Amino acid sequence: MRYRREDVVARALEVLDDYGLADLTMRRLGTELGVRPSALYHHFANKQSLLAAVADEILLRGRHEPSGTWDVRVTSICTDLRDSLLAYRDGAEVVATVWAFGLGATQPHDDLVKALADGGLGDLAPTAARTLLHFVYGHAVDEQTHLQAAAAGAIEDDVRDTDDFVTGLGLIAAGISMAKAVREASADR
């Protein structure tokens, strides 16, 4: 059977969710699809390009068009991103790694820069967007690691405070608001 690129990505996402990132290999994916691993290279030059496509699919499946003021949009983008990362086993690690390597997963950054620029942050928008992404990715990786360790019996599962993410995001948004206010006050002088 001949598979389309989308079919390969969908199956890779299933393998990721069922077995984790360490077991998402071209060999395993080929076996899952009933093809030789070399057949996958017709669609992807290497495993990194496959992971980039998987990361983009994770983000696409959880994406919503935010509306409202810049701070409401930023909160919505970050919350949707976190939910997308946690929806798949090792999803946070895959997306964060693809982003860090510059291989893809750019949509959240682009959406955040637009919301922040629309809010009047000017040339600070890209830095503020990266700061928000570092928080979301770090928080999600921490959460996912904790959940997986508890599920494996490696640690006792103490339920974490779910408001921690919202509170941390609020602190960062408050800092961005303050930087914006200082910038506006300086411009008025």
Side-chain angles (χ1 to χ4, degrees):
M1 177 175 206
R2 189 164 177 90
Y3 290 98
R4 295 173 301 149
R5 180 181 172 93
E6 299 82 30
D7 300 326
V8 175
V9 171
R11 185 60 64 93
L13 195 50
E14 290 173 14
V15 171
L16 175 71
D17 207 28
D18 290 344
Y19 303 104
L21 181 57
D23 288 330
L24 177 55
T25 63
M26 297 303 250
R27 182 179 307 278
R28 170 165 257 158
L29 185 55
T31 299
E32 292 279 328
L33 291 167
V35 299
R36 291 180 179 217
S38 59
L40 300 175
Y41 293 102
H42 172 73
H43 298 291
F44 301 98
N46 51 41
K47 183 177 177 182
Q48 290 75 20
S49 61
L50 170 67
L51 291 177
V54 169
D56 286 338
E57 183 65 22
I58 289 170
L59 296 173
L60 181 66
R61 290 183 179 191
R63 188 164 187 257
H64 303 95
E65 286 296 326
S67 60
T69 60
W70 73 268
D71 52 335
V72 170
R73 287 167 52 201
V74 163
T75 299
S76 177
I77 293 164
C78 290
T79 302
D80 286 349
L81 174 57
R82 176 183 168 267
D83 292 346
S84 295
L85 300 175
L86 296 177
Y88 299 94
R89 181 177 178 175
D90 294 333
E93 184 178 353
V94 169
V95 174
T97 301
V98 165
W99 163 254
F101 288 178
L103 300 173
T106 61
Q107 194 62 54
H109 176 265
D110 297 345
D111 291 346
L112 286 168
V113 168
K114 174 137 178 44
L116 292 160
D118 290 351
L121 213 57
D123 62 347
L124 288 179
T127 301
R130 283 191 305 276
T131 301
L132 287 159
L133 287 178
H134 290 303
F135 172 73
V136 176
Y137 291 151
H139 198 283
V141 166
D142 177 72
E143 243 181 305
Q144 208 158 52
T145 302
H146 179 83
L147 290 170
Q148 290 172 5
I155 61 172
E156 287 194 31
D157 184 22
D158 59 328
V159 177
R160 291 194 167 176
D161 183 4
T162 56
D163 292 335
D164 184 53
F165 177 79
V166 174
T167 302
L169 185 57
L171 288 169
I172 295 169
I176 292 169
S177 291
M178 185 175 292
K180 181 179 177 290
V182 167
R183 180 171 271 217
E184 289 169 352
S186 296
D188 290 342
R189 290 183 188 179

